[in-house]
Amino acid sequence: MDGVPGSGADVIRAQLPTLPDTPGVYRMLAADGSVLYVGKAKYLKRRVASYTRTDGLPNRTRRMVALTRSMEFVTTHTEAEALLLEANLIRSLLPPFNILVKDDRSFSYIVIGKGHDFPRLMQHRGSAERRGTPGKGNRRDSDLFGPYASPHLVGMTIAALQRAFLLRTCDDGVFASRTRPCLQHQIKRCSAPCVGRVDEEEYAAQVQGVRDVLSGRSAEVQAEFARHMLDSSDRLEYEDAARWRDRIRALTALQSRQDINLEDTLGDADVLALHREGGAACVQAFFFRGGRNQGTRAFFPRVDAEEEPGDILTAFAAQLYADTPPPALLLLSDPVEAPELLEEALGLSAGHRVAVECPKRGPKRRAVEHAQTNARDALGRRLAERSTQATLLEGVARVFGLPAPPRRVEIYDTSHIQGSFPVGAMVVAGPDGFQRNAYRRFYIRDPDAAGNDYAMLRETFTRRFHRSSESGRDSGQWPDLVLIDGGLGQLNAVKDELAMLQITDIPLVAIAKGPDRNAGRERFFQPGRPPLTLAPNDPVLHFLQRLRDEAHRTAIDSHRARRMKAMSHSRIDGIPGIGPTRKKALLHHFGSATAVASAGLKDLEAAPGISEAIARKLYEHFHG
C-alpha cells in the first residue's frame, strides 16, 4: 500500500481504515524510502493501531514512529508465515529499529552429492538453500549434514571420514578425466572409483556408512568395522585386517574430537542461551547432531534495553533458521511468549516437526546452563573489547578535533591494474569493531574513470551518498567520520564531490603514507587544517593503520575477484542454445574454447551432444 502524506502517528492512523484484521507483515518507511522497521502481526489492524497511542510507547519506538513517512503491508495466511516473512525481510533489509542477528560468518556443512554413480564428499559454506552450482556435482537434492560452527571443524571431519570410508572429494571434471589413481588413493583416503578400483555397490555401502555416522549411528558402524577386522584376522588376511583397524581408528578419532556431548537419546538439538549485561546481549548457540557437539558460536544481536528475553530469542531463532535447517529440538534459556507459534514457523521452514522447550531440570537443563556460562563469558570478552575500542575512538576524536567519539567510521579505497577492473571499496567500523555486513563494493561504471584515482573516488562517493537525507542520518547509517586512503588530492576530490551533493558536514580525513611509503610515518590531511603526523608508537596511529589496511585489503580482494571472474568467462558463454552441459561436452571434446572457435563445421557436428543445427549456430557465431 502506498504511503499517505504526513508524518509519524498521522501517517499510521491514515492507514487503519483500509487494513484487514488478518495475519501479515508491515514495514515502516522513512522519507527516503529506507525501511525503519519490519514487524509481524496476528491481527494487522490492531497491531498497527497500537503505534498511534504514542504516550504508552517506549522512547525508541516513539522515535521510530516520528520518522515514519509511509507504510507497506503484506498479508499472509497464518501468523507462522508472517513470522517467517518478517525474519527474511529483516535479514535482507537490516532495519535499524529491529532486533538484528549481526554475524558476517556463514555456517559450514558436509554434503554428499547425488546424481552420480559415485557420489562426492564435500564441504559447503553458506546458505543451506543455496548450496550447489551447476557442473560441480553439488546439487540442491544433495544430502546435507550440519550446521558446523567452523569450516576448520568440517575440514577435520571430512579428513577423518575419508580415512574411514574412502570416498572421493574431487569434482566431476577431474573424476571423468582420470586414467590412474591420484594421490588421495595412495595415502588411503579414496578407493579410486574413477579407475574402477571399487564397484558401485561397494561404494554405495561406503556412502551409506558416512550417512549413518553423520546421522548419529556411529556405534553400529564401528561394530561392523570390528566384525570385518576379526573376520579378516580369522582368515589370516592380516593386511586386510590392518586396513579395517586403520578405518576404526579414523572413526574413533572422529568421535573423540567432540567437546561436550548430549545424551544420545536427545538426537538432533540446538541450544540457544541468552545473557544480557551493560546494554548488550549475547546468544550462545550449541549445535548437536546425533547427540554430538558440532561446535558453538556466540552471536551479539542488536537489541533494545526494553526487549523481553523471550522476544529476543524468538526473533533470533526466526532469523537464524531463515537459511539454516532447524533441528527437531530447540532448547532455549528463557521461555517465549508463544512457543507453539515458533514451533509452527520453524516446522514450515524445516519440513518436519520442531519442538521448542525451555527445560527446568535434567540433562537438557545442564546443556542450557553450560551454554549460558559460555554466553556470559563471551559477552564479558566483547564488552572488554568494546571498552578498548571506545578508548581508541576517543583518541581519534581528540586527534581530529571531533565533537564526540565516532560511532560509525567509513574508510574508502580503490583498486585497479592499469585501469582494468576498477573497484571502489567502503569498510565500516565502530564501537563493536568492523561491521562487515555493512561493507560495500562499487564496480566503477564510468569507463573514463577507470585508472583515475580521483574520478574513481568521485563515482564511489556519488553512488554512496546520492540518496542521502535527514532520515538517513537518523537511521544510524550516516558516518561520523570518513577516512580516505590517499593524500591531499584524494581529499579534495571527495570534498568537491560531496559539496556537489550538498553534503558539507561529514568530517573528512585522508591518510597518506610517509616518505618511501613507510608505515609509521603517515600524514593525515583535513580540510582547513595543516597536515599532522602521529608518534610511531601511538595506539591511535596503529588503530588508523588497521582501518586503512582493512579498506585496502577489501578493495584488492574485490578487484581480484572481478578479474578472476572475467578470466574464467569462456568465449562459449552466452551463445544461445549452449548451456552448461553442451559447454562441458565441447570443452572436453576440443580441449579449449579457442579450439571450439576455430573448429570447422564438420568437426563441430562430430562433438558428442551437438546436433547439426547447434553446430551450424556455433560455426556462424565464430565465423559470421
Side-chain angles (χ1 to χ4, degrees), residues 54 62 160 170 248 269 394 442 488 509 526 532 544 562 582:
T54 56
R62 280 205 297 267
C170 60
I248 291 172
E394 290 173 0
F442 303 88
L488 187 59
V509 176
Q526 289 179 267
L532 62 89
L544 294 169
R562 187 180 183 188
R582 283 179 174 150

Side-chain angles (χ1 to χ4, degrees), residues 146-353:
Y148 289 81
S150 72
H152 178 66
L153 181 58
V154 172
M156 292 193 304
T157 303
I158 287 180
L161 289 171
Q162 281 185 274
R163 290 192 294 271
F165 296 98
L166 311 179
L167 296 192
R168 72 178 182 98
T169 57
C170 60
D171 62 42
D172 291 350
V174 173
F175 179 88
S177 63
R178 296 298 304 181
T179 57
R180 59 181 182 178
C182 67
L183 180 63
Q184 291 293 314
H185 177 71
Q186 304 298 330
I187 62 175
K188 299 180 181 179
R189 291 194 178 187
C190 179
S191 53
C194 54
V195 292
R197 298 292 178 90
V198 61
D199 58 30
E200 290 184 32
E201 184 178 355
E202 186 178 351
Y203 193 87
Q206 296 171 357
V207 172
Q208 186 58 47
V210 172
R211 291 195 182 102
D212 289 341
V213 168
L214 295 178
S215 300
R217 298 187 291 273
S218 56
E220 295 92 323
V221 175
Q222 190 161 351
E224 183 181 352
F225 281 11
R227 285 195 298 272
H228 283 300
M229 182 181 68
L230 291 174
D231 289 344
S232 298
S233 179
D234 292 341
R235 295 193 303 269
L236 306 182
E237 297 173 354
Y238 297 119
E239 289 186 5
D240 192 44
R243 283 193 290 270
W244 285 109
R245 178 204 60 200
D246 293 341
R247 295 174 70 177
I248 291 172
R249 287 177 176 174
L251 197 56
T252 302
L254 175 65
Q255 294 169 301
S256 64
R257 203 170 273 134
Q258 310 301 330
D259 297 328
I260 172 176
N261 298 327
L262 288 171
E263 280 77 356
D264 291 340
T265 55
L266 295 181
D268 296 348
D270 286 352
V271 179
L272 303 181
L274 171 68
H275 181 76
R276 303 173 72 177
E277 181 182 339
C282 174
V283 176
Q284 184 79 35
F286 278 44
F287 305 101
F288 297 94
R289 296 297 180 268
R292 293 193 303 276
N293 190 345
Q294 296 190 165
T296 70
R297 181 177 295 181
F299 296 84
F300 302 93
R302 189 185 70 197
V303 301
D304 188 66
E306 297 158 334
E307 298 283 356
E308 294 295 329
D311 294 338
I312 295 174
L313 287 174
T314 298
F316 178 87
Q319 294 180 51
L320 177 67
Y321 297 114
D323 55 10
T324 300
L329 177 62
L330 185 61
L331 303 178
L332 305 179
S333 60
D334 298 271
V336 298
E337 182 177 352
E340 65 283 350
L341 170 63
L342 186 57
E343 289 177 345
E344 183 182 355
L346 295 181
L348 286 174
S349 174
H352 59 75
R353 185 179 181 277

Side-chain angles (χ1 to χ4, degrees), residues 35-38 89-91 93-100 302:
V35 179
L36 297 170
Y37 181 79
V38 176
L89 290 174
I90 290 172
R91 286 174 60 87
L93 300 174
L94 302 177
F97 287 93
N98 277 99
I99 296 173
L100 293 182
R302 189 185 70 197

Side-chain angles (χ1 to χ4, degrees), residues 483-565:
L483 300 179
I484 307 149
D485 188 1
L488 187 59
Q490 283 84 355
L491 176 69
N492 289 331
V494 171
K495 178 185 174 184
D496 294 343
E497 193 64 30
L498 290 179
M500 292 180 62
L501 298 171
Q502 299 181 344
I503 300 173
T504 58
D505 58 345
I506 298 179
L508 303 175
V509 176
I511 308 175
K513 289 188 172 68
D516 301 322
R517 303 182 68 83
N518 287 337
R521 302 178 65 185
E522 284 86 353
R523 291 197 302 165
F524 299 89
F525 296 88
Q526 289 179 267
R529 297 182 66 178
L532 62 89
T533 58
L534 298 175
N537 61 349
D538 191 329
V540 175
L541 173 62
H542 299 158
F543 177 61
L544 294 169
Q545 288 172 337
R546 193 161 72 248
L547 298 182
R548 186 266 319 277
D549 292 345
E550 175 69 4
H552 188 62
R553 180 198 64 78
T554 302
I556 289 177
D557 287 351
S558 302
H559 160 78
R560 184 178 294 120
R562 187 180 183 188
R563 176 161 49 91
M564 294 302 295
K565 182 178 180 180

